[in-house]
Amino acid sequence: MLTAKQNFIETVEGGHPDRIVNQYEAISLLFHPFLFASPLLQKGTSEPVANAWGVYNAFPDNVPGAFPVQDDAHLLVKDIEHWQDYVKVPSLDFTDEEWGKCEDLYAQVDGNKALKATFEAPGIFEQCHHMCKIENVLMAMYESPDELEDMIKMLTEFELKMAEGICEHLHPDAIFHHDDWGSQKSTFMSPAMFEEFFVEPYKQIYGYYHDHGVKYIIHHSDSYAATLVPDMIEMGINVWQGCFSTNNLPELIKKYGDKISFMGGIENCLVDFNGWTEENNKEVIYKTIKECGNMHFIPCIAQGGPGSVFPGVYQSMSDIIDNYNTEKYGFTKEELEAQRMPITIMF
């Protein structure tokens, strides 16, 4: 019987998986020092709090997560053509003690059972619109392309320096990188515009990781982005996590499965809602597995980490996928659990 990590590798490499990969069971999401440079907001934080970039965020009780506050009083970049006047790039110079705390966390992961995956968020597009507002960034692609390209170059250099420290100190198996590129039904920009601004920067960043020992780039974008899959492949992405069912995943798997794998298919609105039920979760999960199979596909809640908005949903989904593997492949629940790290629910 394969470990969870081995089964993940067989699935994404097109080998011989012996069961369905169960959501994030093969991925241990781990941190790097810069993630501790900003306050971690708890639900109920209604007053805006500035992060290391100077972006103000809040996490009121009535929303599913922390998001930037972008009224006139709190928006960081008020004029994108003069963004340098507003943005101060945070330091990435950390002490050996700060790196050591993270190294200790990586050492606690059983590398036979799980990929040690460095968590990075937000990505380049998200960081741009956190600082500037999403509508301002999209308009800048037409009205101020040179200034936007300069901002993206600055963020790319920042990520490359961060990558240098991560590879030197932490030696992860994978990078789990956030950057949402679309809504449920469409991308935020045309493929041509996406290629003009974002493909080359990500080729540099993801290329650096691959060249320095990182085997897998897992990119999170819980969205529609089927039209960007060729660009994802060019960037060096190995697994697109967060792919919505609206992408026609069976078609994408058939067309691109030998070049990229897909992790998701179950957007939160299908399972993660007030009044959710085990019966509905099972129906959605079994339907998704039937349509997509177990090669180059991992059924998973679309959000970017193990968890859910409504308590109990993620564990329910994991239990249902375990039950499927028991029914289909004959493994016991005890055997499945013995081949993975304990399931961690982060959100």
Side-chain angles (χ1 to χ4, degrees):
M1 183 179 181
L2 300 173
T3 67
K5 176 182 175 180
Q6 291 167 341
N7 197 50
F8 174 96
I9 293 171
E10 293 295 314
T11 297
V12 302
E13 297 286 355
H16 300 283
D18 63 10
R19 61 192 184 276
I20 297 290
V21 178
N22 192 335
Q23 304 202 92
Y24 286 93
E25 68 171 355
I27 303 170
S28 285
L29 295 180
L30 299 162
F31 299 143
H32 55 87
F34 184 67
L35 287 177
F36 300 108
S38 296
L40 180 62
L41 300 190
Q42 300 296 320
K43 190 176 182 67
T45 306
S46 57
E47 290 299 316
V49 178
N51 66 14
W53 285 93
V55 173
Y56 282 87
N57 292 274
F59 192 173
D61 284 323
N62 63 332
V63 298
F67 289 94
V69 178
Q70 297 181 319
D71 56 23
D72 290 342
H74 295 95
L75 180 64
L76 178 61
V77 177
K78 295 175 171 58
D79 180 357
I80 199 166
E81 292 195 357
H82 300 281
W83 64 267
Q84 296 96 332
D85 296 338
Y86 303 97
V87 177
K88 182 179 180 181
V89 180
S91 172
L92 287 174
D93 296 325
F94 302 108
T95 65
D96 290 341
E97 182 181 1
E98 288 172 312
W99 282 113
K101 290 178 180 178
C102 293
E103 291 169 359
D104 290 343
L105 296 175
Y106 284 65
Q108 294 173 22
V109 175
D110 185 338
N112 294 314
K113 294 181 178 180
L115 297 166
K116 301 179 183 183
T118 303
F119 181 93
E120 291 189 32
I124 294 176
F125 176 64
E126 288 182 344
Q127 185 61 50
C128 286
H129 73 71
H130 285 189
M131 296 190 296
C132 305
K133 283 190 180 181
I134 191 168
E135 59 267 36
N136 293 347
V137 172
L138 295 176
M139 288 190 294
M141 293 178 178
Y142 296 91
E143 298 177 346
S144 307
D146 292 340
E147 289 78 9
L148 181 59
E149 285 181 353
D150 286 342
M151 179 185 289
I152 291 171
K153 182 180 178 181
M154 174 272 294
L155 293 172
T156 303
E157 292 172 351
F158 179 83
E159 287 224 17
L160 285 170
K161 183 174 181 180
M162 184 161 59
E164 181 181 356
I166 288 169
C167 292
E168 179 181 349
H169 293 276
L170 303 178
H171 313 290
D173 305 304
I175 299 296
F176 190 91
H177 197 291
H178 276 229
D179 207 14
D180 290 342
W181 294 330
S183 66
Q184 186 182 29
K185 298 181 180 180
S186 177
T187 55
F188 291 133
M189 66 204 80
S190 70
M193 194 65 83
F194 181 80
E195 289 157 10
E196 179 177 345
F197 288 95
F198 295 105
V199 169
E200 285 302 320
Y202 270 112
K203 284 176 68 175
Q204 292 180 51
I205 296 164
Y206 291 161
Y208 183 95
Y209 280 120
H210 279 310
D211 290 343
H212 290 79
V214 176
K215 179 67 174 176
Y216 297 106
I217 301 295
I218 305 168
H219 184 98
H220 164 80
S221 177
D222 49 350
S223 65
Y224 173 89
T227 52
L228 304 183
V229 169
D231 296 321
M232 295 186 201
I233 295 168
E234 184 177 352
M235 289 173 173
I237 294 172
N238 304 102
V239 180
W240 170 20
Q241 191 279 325
C243 47
F244 281 3
S245 62
T246 51
N247 288 280
N248 192 348
L249 294 175
E251 181 180 277
L252 290 180
I253 294 165
K254 181 178 180 181
K255 188 173 182 179
Y256 299 110
D258 61 333
K259 300 179 181 69
I260 189 171
S261 293
F262 303 88
M263 180 176 176
I266 307 171
E267 48 263 51
N268 288 59
C269 66
L270 300 177
V271 294
D272 189 12
F273 50 82
N274 190 24
W276 67 272
T277 65
E278 294 276 350
E279 292 76 15
N280 176 74
N281 289 359
K282 180 177 180 179
E283 180 179 349
V284 171
I285 291 168
Y286 275 51
K287 177 177 182 291
T288 301
I289 293 173
K290 181 179 180 181
E291 292 174 348
C292 298
N294 73 333
M295 192 66 71
H296 302 297
F297 177 72
I298 298 168
C300 182
I301 198 166
Q303 74 171 46
S308 55
V309 176
F310 291 87
V313 171
Y314 185 84
Q315 185 65 57
S316 165
M317 294 175 64
S318 291
D319 290 341
I320 290 166
I321 296 171
D322 273 353
N323 291 339
Y324 181 93
N325 282 328
T326 297
E327 298 166 6
K328 177 73 174 180
Y329 300 103
F331 297 115
T332 66
K333 184 68 178 290
E334 292 73 23
E335 287 174 328
L336 294 170
E337 290 179 346
Q339 297 303 321
R340 66 187 177 214
M341 297 280 292
I343 289 177
T344 299
I345 297 178
M346 294 179 63
F347 310 110

